[in-house]
Amino acid sequence: MMMSIMERLFRKRNDTASVAKERLQIVLAHERAGRTAPDFLPLLQKELLSVVAKYLEVEDEMIKITLEKAGEVSVLEINVELDKARIRKSLPIATEGKPIETKKAAAGI
Amino acid sequence: MSKVITITSGKGGVGKTTTSAAFATGLAQRGNKTVVIDFDVGLRNLDLIMGVERRVVFDFINVINGDANLNQALIKDKRVDNLYIFPTSQTRDKDALSKEGVERVINELRDNFDYIICDSPAGIEHGALTALYHADAAIIVTNPEVSSVRDSDRILGMLASKSRRAEENEAPVDEYLLLTRYSPERVERGEMLSIEDVQEILSVPLIGVIPESEAVLKASNTGMPVILDTESTAGIAYGDAVARFLGEQREMRFLKTQKKSLLRTLFGKA
């Protein structure tokens, strides 16, 4: 993918075509990866947030989900920022003493 | 069996309409009953390139809306047998191409023609998506230039996900790359992406390379598909591309730089 050192060394001074090729290969690798990202990611983020929100007071922007491709392996990364979050005073189990009712985050989507 | 071929590119101004006109004419010349449809609603131009602008009475939108039937709207070419032009409307209503309406018209055309060439508008909006939806094959017109190659890649993604064949889990659309405005001299000087560069990036089989040629503008000036200019490199290259599409093996031509002699430089044609 990257041009070999030899190619770089022997590139003619006005060889702009190889610059074009290299730039295209890099930008398209990015765009193709974005294109194949599954479209359930936003929904997953929303549902995860609703689960976390039962226990912690969290805001929307405190949870981040990314799907990255490194070679053959895809990594789903979920980051929840906790240092600002406070534990909820009334946890669902403690107060109600019955199974947790899971809200359907998908409702209406 | 009837085949829908969409001529598309993403980027504007790369030669979609020129290619649509050339391909439709070439297929008809070889005895295939062919219709070429302009999908660029609001910016009708295929009629000019085909030289039938004064014969347009009814258009694509009229037929979709049921205001006219196909026979009233199709314009029969006077130069080539088996060739029909289906002009689009000048309406500004972009949504005039309803999904059901287009499908009905395409199905009716499938019953009557061997090849249905869809001249896509630029962009990735409704018109372009409608033009590629019914494609059995797609010709991706690309200039050896960064923005054109990037947009072609984007359109290839659309064909793989948004076409009818993709939606209905049928065999994927046959994709072909057509490189236009190619200049071997500039490639040799390292100023232009080469055929190999573009193919390596897009990984789509090459159906033809159309060299940069003055004949293309001359042809559009007079409303004659450039493939009929058999003296020109572009016309011959389009003829080769059509032959390859129909399964013939043909060498790519006009890819070598021409060393001009002094006499040819002084008196020769480009």
Side-chain angles (χ1 to χ4, degrees):
Chain A
M1 173 122 173
M2 295 295 285
M3 289 180 75
S4 71
I5 295 164
M6 293 295 276
E7 266 179 87
R8 272 175 195 280
L9 281 175
F10 292 105
R11 188 149 87 188
K12 288 180 210 158
R13 191 176 297 165
N14 58 354
D15 181 3
T16 52
S18 58
V19 179
K21 184 182 180 187
E22 203 178 351
R23 289 175 62 218
L24 270 170
Q25 283 174 325
I26 292 167
V27 73
L28 289 182
H30 257 269
E31 288 178 356
R32 284 171 186 159
R35 213 178 290 154
T36 51
D39 44 12
F40 63 74
L41 278 189
L43 188 60
L44 178 62
Q45 172 155 358
K46 211 171 164 181
E47 290 198 38
L48 279 169
L49 187 74
S50 75
V51 172
V52 174
K54 275 190 217 159
Y55 302 92
L56 298 165
E57 290 178 16
V58 287
E59 302 289 330
D60 279 17
E61 66 271 15
M62 287 160 74
I63 185 163
K64 290 209 169 57
I65 300 187
T66 53
L67 184 69
E68 278 192 24
K69 224 177 173 184
E72 293 296 294
V73 191
S74 294
V75 178
L76 181 69
E77 195 175 278
I78 301 168
N79 271 304
V80 187
E81 203 180 303
L82 284 182
D83 51 342
K84 288 186 217 144
R86 280 186 307 171
I87 296 169
R88 283 200 188 279
K89 284 183 190 120
S90 52
L91 289 177
I93 303 171
T95 52
E96 311 201 357
K98 56 184 176 185
I100 304 165
E101 248 180 76
T102 44
K103 264 193 207 164
K104 279 212 175 117
I109 293 172
Chain B
M1 220 185 78
S2 168
K3 204 168 197 177
V4 175
I5 309 170
T6 300
I7 315 292
T8 185
S9 70
K11 191 175 182 298
V14 297
K16 282 183 297 298
T17 303
T18 299
T19 300
S20 299
F23 249 79
T25 306
L27 288 167
Q29 278 179 318
R30 289 160 168 269
N32 302 290
K33 201 171 172 202
T34 305
V35 59
V36 54
I37 316 177
D38 190 347
F39 270 81
D40 202 348
V41 176
L43 293 169
R44 177 160 82 206
N45 274 320
L46 179 69
D47 57 338
L48 272 178
I49 300 302
M50 292 296 298
V52 298
E53 68 276 10
R54 292 172 63 177
R55 297 171 60 202
V56 176
V57 182
F58 294 109
D59 59 49
F60 197 7
I61 306 299
N62 291 141
V63 176
I64 286 175
N65 293 341
D67 300 331
N69 62 40
L70 265 180
N71 287 333
Q72 291 172 298
L74 293 179
I75 302 168
K76 190 177 185 323
D77 192 86
K78 287 182 174 166
R79 298 158 294 211
V80 179
D81 277 343
N82 299 314
L83 179 58
Y84 293 80
I85 298 101
F86 195 0
T88 194
S89 140
Q90 289 285 46
T91 174
R92 287 162 69 185
D93 178 11
K94 288 277 175 196
D95 298 323
L97 293 175
S98 70
K99 192 172 177 181
E100 301 71 30
V102 172
E103 187 168 341
R104 184 173 49 80
V105 173
I106 294 282
N107 286 338
E108 198 176 335
L109 290 170
R110 277 187 190 273
D111 293 337
N112 293 290
F113 288 90
D114 300 316
Y115 289 102
I116 299 152
I117 311 292
C118 302
D119 181 18
S120 172
I124 49 171
E125 303 300 317
H126 180 69
L129 292 180
T130 310
L132 69 75
Y133 186 76
H134 293 278
D136 298 310
I139 293 173
I140 320 296
V141 184
T142 307
N143 290 169
E145 176 272 326
V146 287
S147 53
S148 176
V149 175
R150 181 197 216 170
D151 291 358
S152 293
D153 191 73
R154 192 79 199 278
I155 280 290
L156 286 166
M158 297 275 174
L159 281 162
S161 61
K162 301 256 192 279
S163 62
R164 185 193 61 79
R165 282 175 171 271
E167 277 187 4
E168 295 178 7
N169 283 321
E170 286 185 22
V173 177
D174 281 330
E175 296 159 344
Y176 301 97
L177 175 67
L178 183 80
L179 212 48
T180 55
R181 306 199 68 169
Y182 193 75
S183 165
E185 292 78 17
R186 301 198 73 183
V187 171
E188 191 163 276
R189 289 200 297 268
E191 295 173 8
M192 182 181 270
L193 290 165
S194 68
I195 300 165
E196 295 75 23
D197 290 340
V198 180
Q199 263 201 292
E200 189 185 326
I201 293 167
L202 295 178
S203 343
V204 171
L206 187 69
I207 192 91
V209 179
I210 312 300
E212 175 79 60
S213 162
E214 290 177 5
V216 174
L217 180 58
K218 280 190 204 160
S220 85
N221 284 343
T222 55
M224 180 190 78
V226 73
I227 197 170
L228 294 178
D229 181 356
T230 49
E231 307 268 285
S232 70
T233 54
I236 296 166
Y238 269 118
D240 287 348
V242 172
R244 283 185 208 107
F245 185 84
L246 294 172
E248 268 182 52
Q249 295 288 330
R250 288 209 185 174
E251 289 272 314
M252 297 284 171
R253 293 192 242 189
F254 317 117
L255 306 183
K256 301 255 157 57
T257 48
Q258 305 248 326
K259 296 272 182 293
K260 283 185 181 175
S261 69
L262 181 63
L263 274 177
R264 277 191 69 177
T265 311
L266 289 174
F267 303 110
K269 278 199 283 185

